[in-house]
Amino acid sequence: MSLSQDLERLTALDPEGEAVALGTLWRECPVVLAFVRHFG
Amino acid sequence: MRGIIDDIRSHGAELVVVGSGNVRQAAAFRDELAIDFPLFTDPSLRTYRSAGLKRSIGATLNPTLLGNAMRAFKKGYRQKRVQGDPWQQGGVFVIAAGGGVAFEQRSDAAGDHPDPGDVLAALMEVAP
């Protein structure tokens, strides 16, 4: 399975606490997906 | 990557950021910095592991940390209290619409960031 296929199945939480499947984020357009070390 | 967000959007793409803090920290971060791009958090770090991103004390407390910190300080960045996993490293990926990774960078140490030009070059390969 490719990296994007691995990631698209996973979820993250938006700032309101709602879970979002990562794959929906690049369904229609390309993304620059940046994982940061931490907030602050 | 925030510095090139206009370039990212001009190519029909979006910057998406994932952090490791809790939801409250993500909301505060978004509000404090007036973030207008999609921001998420994964306190479980499952997405980080799936992306193959490093997590270790050694990657954070690394000899290169001082130089990276000085470089960031000179650019005006001021780190505040760590909100998330302090040992988790980050990374940057360019993902084409529908899937397919055009660029991947996994930080070896704190402050190890990709060249924005390299990110944009990869984005131009997959931009509509």
Side-chain angles (χ1 to χ4, degrees), chain B residues 97-114:
Chain B
V101 177
F103 176 89
E104 43 191 292
Q105 181 270 347
R106 296 172 177 84
S107 297
D108 286 324
D112 176 24
H113 302 300

Side-chain angles (χ1 to χ4, degrees), chain B residues 3-126:
Chain B
I4 60 169
I5 191 166
D6 290 340
D7 292 310
I8 291 171
R9 288 175 171 165
S10 74
H11 288 94
E14 181 61 279
L15 172 64
V16 176
V17 171
V18 178
S20 64
N22 62 40
V23 170
R24 189 172 23 88
Q25 291 166 338
F29 185 71
R30 175 200 57 196
D31 296 343
E32 192 174 311
L33 296 181
I35 286 174
D36 68 347
F37 49 82
L39 177 71
F40 301 93
T41 191
D42 176 19
S44 77
L45 303 180
R46 286 182 63 205
T47 58
Y48 286 80
R49 283 193 298 276
S50 188
L53 299 174
K54 284 187 177 181
R55 181 181 183 274
S56 74
I57 294 173
T60 300
L61 302 178
N62 186 287
T64 62
L65 173 63
L66 185 59
N68 292 342
M70 291 294 293
R71 189 173 61 248
F73 188 86
K74 287 179 182 177
K75 289 181 180 178
Y77 294 108
R78 301 293 182 268
Q79 182 172 313
K80 299 179 183 178
R81 187 169 54 95
V82 171
Q83 298 181 48
D85 189 300
W87 315 124
Q88 180 64 59
Q89 302 307 310
V92 177
F93 302 87
V94 173
I95 303 176
V101 177
F103 176 89
E104 43 191 292
Q105 181 270 347
R106 296 172 177 84
S107 297
D108 286 324
D112 176 24
H113 302 300
D115 185 312
D118 292 343
V119 175
L120 289 175
L123 182 58
M124 288 195 296
E125 295 291 316
V126 298

Side-chain angles (χ1 to χ4, degrees), chain A residues 17-40:
Chain A
E18 295 295 318
V20 173
L22 290 184
T24 62
L25 304 173
W26 55 82
R27 185 177 294 157
E28 304 294 333
C29 72
V31 300
V32 175
L33 179 62
F35 289 88
V36 296
R37 289 188 55 237
H38 54 79
F39 299 126

